[in-house]
């Protein structure tokens, strides 16, 4: 009787669980399909970049040709610099994780250090988890090194996020560290997670146009 009751309860639980599992499966398939489409479109855009840009510039009125060129160069520089800056942050954090493993004698050095670096290179989401791989490995394989690993990775995370990231992004996208931090805060307020991710390159594009029009208007002024 008890066994039959348990089986009935399991059957009811499975019936309730299948609906959210189906939703998760459908959402996962949709996300994977979207990623594949974006990846294929990116390949076509890279291959036919010159033809696409020439077609778009033909659509722009001649009076706005200079602004169109500025938009193209500023977007390429800011978004490309943003990706290079994220990659550089990942390399720096990889070095911190590697030093933690080697200094404390923690196992799985390569896997954990690479995971920490890759997570740090992922915009917005990754840095919140980048400190975890060495700490988890220390917890499982060498508990006596857990506290030093937490201290080292936490200190490294604070230094990278608050000291190195603004400087790296300043060199990568060409805007001041204060603007870097402010663009992340303002972007997250305006557009949430996408705003926090793309706030820095968008701020770089806006900065390029601002200084372009500032210099153009300042150059036309007379002494009087």
């Amino acid at each position: 009787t008890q066994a039959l009751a348990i089986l009935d309860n399991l059957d009811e639980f499975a019936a309730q669980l299948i609906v959210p599992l189906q939703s998760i499966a459908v959402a996962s398939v949709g996300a994977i399909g979207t990623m594949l489409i974006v990846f294929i479109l990116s390949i076509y855009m890279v291959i036919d970049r010159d033809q696409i840009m020439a077609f778009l510039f033909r659509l722009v009125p001649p009076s706005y040709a200079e602004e169109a060129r500025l938009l193209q160069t500023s977007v390429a520089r800011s978004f490309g610099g943003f990706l290079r800056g994220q990659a550089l942050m990942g390399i720096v954090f990889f070095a911190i994780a590697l030093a933690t493993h080697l200094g404390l004698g923690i196992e799985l050095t390569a896997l954990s250090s690479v995971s920490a670096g890759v997570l740090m290179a992922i915009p917005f989401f990754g840095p919140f988890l980048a400190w975890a791989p060495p700490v988890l490995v220390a917890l499982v394989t060498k508990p006596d090194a857990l506290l030093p690993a937490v201290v080292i990775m936490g200190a490294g995370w604070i230094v990278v996020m608050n000291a190195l990231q603004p400087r790296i992004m300043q060199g990568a996208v060409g805007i001041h560290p204060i603007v870097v931090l402010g663009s992340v805060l303002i972007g997250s307020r305006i557009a949430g997670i996408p705003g926090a991710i793309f706030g820095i390159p968008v701020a770089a594009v806006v900065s390029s146009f601002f200084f372009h029009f500032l210099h153009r208007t300042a150059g036309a002024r007379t002494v009087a």
Side-chain angles (χ1 to χ4, degrees):
T1 302
Q2 292 297 325
L4 292 175
I6 292 173
L7 292 175
D8 291 337
N9 291 332
L10 289 176
D11 185 54
E12 293 178 1
F13 178 73
Q16 296 175 358
L17 188 62
I18 193 171
V19 176
L21 287 178
Q22 287 178 342
S23 301
I24 293 174
V26 172
S28 301
V29 172
I32 293 173
T34 302
M35 291 176 62
L36 289 175
I37 292 174
V38 171
F39 179 70
I40 294 172
L41 285 176
S42 301
I43 294 177
Y44 280 114
M45 292 175 69
V46 169
I47 294 174
D48 295 333
R49 174 182 178 274
D50 295 335
Q51 292 85 346
I52 293 174
M53 295 306 303
F55 172 75
L56 292 177
F57 281 126
R58 283 198 299 269
L59 299 178
V60 177
S63 58
Y64 292 99
E66 184 180 358
E67 285 77 9
R69 290 290 180 184
L70 175 63
L71 177 62
Q72 187 262 331
T73 54
S74 60
V75 168
R77 186 184 69 242
S78 60
F79 279 84
F82 176 71
L83 294 178
R84 288 191 297 271
Q86 290 295 135
L88 183 57
M89 288 176 56
I91 293 173
V92 171
F93 207 70
F94 162 78
I96 295 174
L98 181 62
T100 302
H101 276 270
L102 296 178
L104 300 177
I106 305 174
E107 299 178 1
L108 301 176
T109 302
L111 178 62
S112 177
S113 301
V114 171
S115 299
V118 170
L119 287 173
M120 179 56 71
I122 298 174
F124 191 76
F125 300 100
F128 293 102
L129 301 174
W131 57 270
V135 174
L136 294 177
V137 174
L139 176 64
V140 174
T141 62
K142 196 175 182 181
D144 57 335
L146 176 61
L147 183 58
V150 172
V151 172
I152 296 174
M153 294 303 298
W157 188 89
I158 292 174
V159 170
V160 170
M161 294 300 297
N162 295 280
L164 290 182
Q165 183 192 29
R167 296 295 178 182
I168 291 174
M169 288 302 170
Q170 179 189 15
V173 300
I175 55 178
H176 195 274
I178 295 177
V179 180
V180 171
L181 295 176
S183 62
V184 174
L185 295 176
I186 296 173
S188 62
R189 287 287 185 179
I190 295 176
I193 294 176
I197 294 175
F198 297 107
I200 296 175
V202 170
V205 174
V206 174
S207 176
S208 298
F209 272 87
F210 171 76
F211 285 108
H212 168 73
F213 287 106
L214 179 65
H215 292 319
R216 190 169 69 176
T217 55
R221 295 175 183 171
T222 63
V223 176

